[in-house]
């Protein structure tokens, strides 16, 4: 399984943008990049995913490097509710292995008022 | 509010007890998952069911026995657990096992083994 590397922790101020980096230098051509987050005392929550192009949804944006060896999750205006552990995950291109979410250590984001 | 419902929320059991964890979803999803999460660690996949058949077993000890009686329900039967099995057990579901399908998680059952 391809591995991802994220900083252990990051801090942000409320209402400012946050850029959460992820390195995945061994990504294969068919791996999708997924981001999940886990708020305290809750199960993980899907945030966004992409393959090659940048993606936007109501929660965040995902910027993918041209060589796909890194990506960045962008929260446009952090709120206190965004304090969570953010996981960057590669999902295998083989169908029956695609269900496997292999969580790394993630980045713990704290948001200051 | 989560669309994947897990019961009970908390469970305390002795090492000789038999208990079951239950997970339910009504989103029409055909893939369901069990994960285990120890404190301050990321979730680890245990089992994957696809169309009510066991698809992936991540070498989980036999004291954990999954069951998928229908497309909406997933159980995890527990027997003769060890203290190190104390953890948060998370259930998830997705449309299918494909790599683009988001997984929807419940809030878990916090299990303590005495």
């Amino acid at each position: 399984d391809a591995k991802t590397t994220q900083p252990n922790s990051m801090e942000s101020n409320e209402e400012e943008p946050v850029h959460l980096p992820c390195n995945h230098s061994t990504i294969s051509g068919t791996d999708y990049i997924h981001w999940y987050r886990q708020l305290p005392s809750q199960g993980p929550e899907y945030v966004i995913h992409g393959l090659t192009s940048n993606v936007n949804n109501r929660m965040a944006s995902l910027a993918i490097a041209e060589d796909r060896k890194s990506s960045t999750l962008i929260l446009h205006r952090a709120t206190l509710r965004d304090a969570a552990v953010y996981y960057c995950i590669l999902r295998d291109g083989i169908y029956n292995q695609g269900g496997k979410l292999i969580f790394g250590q993630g980045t713990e984001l704290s948001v200051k008022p | 509010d989560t669309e994947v419902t897990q019961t009970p929320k908390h469970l305390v059991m002795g090492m000789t007890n038999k208990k079951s964890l239950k997970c339910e979803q009504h989103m029409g999803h055909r893939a369901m998952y069990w994960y285990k999460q120890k404190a301050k660690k990321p979730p680890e996949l245990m089992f994957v069911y696809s169309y009510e058949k066991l698809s992936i077993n991540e070498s989980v000890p036999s004291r954990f026995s999954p069951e998928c009686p229908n497309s909406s329900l997933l159980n995890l039967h527990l027997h003769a657990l060890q203290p190190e099995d104390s953890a948060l057990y998370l259930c998830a579901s997705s449309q299918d096992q494909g790599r683009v399908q988001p997984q929807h998680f419940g809030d878990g059952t916090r299990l303590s083994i005495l």
Side-chain angles (χ1 to χ4, degrees), chain A residues 30 32 34 36 38 42-44 46 49 87 91-93 95-96 98-101 103-104, chain B residues 33 35 37 41-43 45 55-56 58 90 96-103 105-107:
Chain A
T30 54
Y32 273 77
H34 284 246
Y36 282 73
Q38 189 170 18
Q42 293 187 23
Y46 166 79
H49 75 272
Y87 296 102
R91 292 192 64 178
D92 200 302
Y95 177 78
N96 69 341
K100 294 173 71 167
L101 282 182
F103 288 83
Chain B
Y33 312 81
Y35 291 82
Q37 186 172 26
K41 297 290 187 186
L45 181 68
S55 173
I56 297 175
E58 292 286 272
L90 293 160
D96 58 42
Q97 259 189 269
R99 66 189 186 277
V100 300
Q101 299 298 341
Q103 292 185 16
F105 284 79
D107 287 335

Side-chain angles (χ1 to χ4, degrees), chain B:
Chain B
D1 282 350
T2 179
E3 297 164 312
V4 175
T5 304
Q6 291 188 242
T7 53
K9 291 194 187 311
H10 302 274
L11 179 62
V12 179
M13 58 187 286
M15 290 190 284
T16 58
N17 292 154
K18 285 185 183 181
K19 297 283 186 184
S20 297
L21 309 185
K22 181 178 167 182
C23 173
E24 197 164 2
Q25 58 88 13
H26 295 288
M27 295 178 281
H29 290 171
R30 302 314 299 268
M32 296 186 77
Y33 312 81
W34 282 114
Y35 291 82
K36 174 182 177 179
Q37 186 172 26
K38 301 280 278 182
K40 302 289 186 188
K41 297 290 187 186
E44 295 178 345
L45 181 68
M46 300 174 72
F47 303 103
V48 180
Y49 270 82
S50 178
Y51 291 85
E52 296 145 60
K53 292 193 183 335
L54 185 64
S55 173
I56 297 175
N57 176 345
E58 292 286 272
S59 303
V60 178
S62 60
R63 58 186 184 268
F64 295 92
S65 175
E67 179 197 21
C68 190
N70 61 55
S71 59
S72 301
L73 271 177
L74 186 66
N75 298 321
L76 186 63
H77 302 298
L78 314 172
H79 173 55
L81 294 194
Q82 305 297 309
E84 61 264 27
D85 296 322
S86 297
L88 181 69
Y89 288 84
L90 293 160
C91 174
S93 71
S94 62
Q95 195 69 37
D96 58 42
Q97 259 189 269
R99 66 189 186 277
V100 300
Q101 299 298 341
Q103 292 185 16
H104 299 250
F105 284 79
D107 287 335
T109 293
R110 191 161 299 282
L111 177 66
S112 298
I113 308 298
L114 300 180

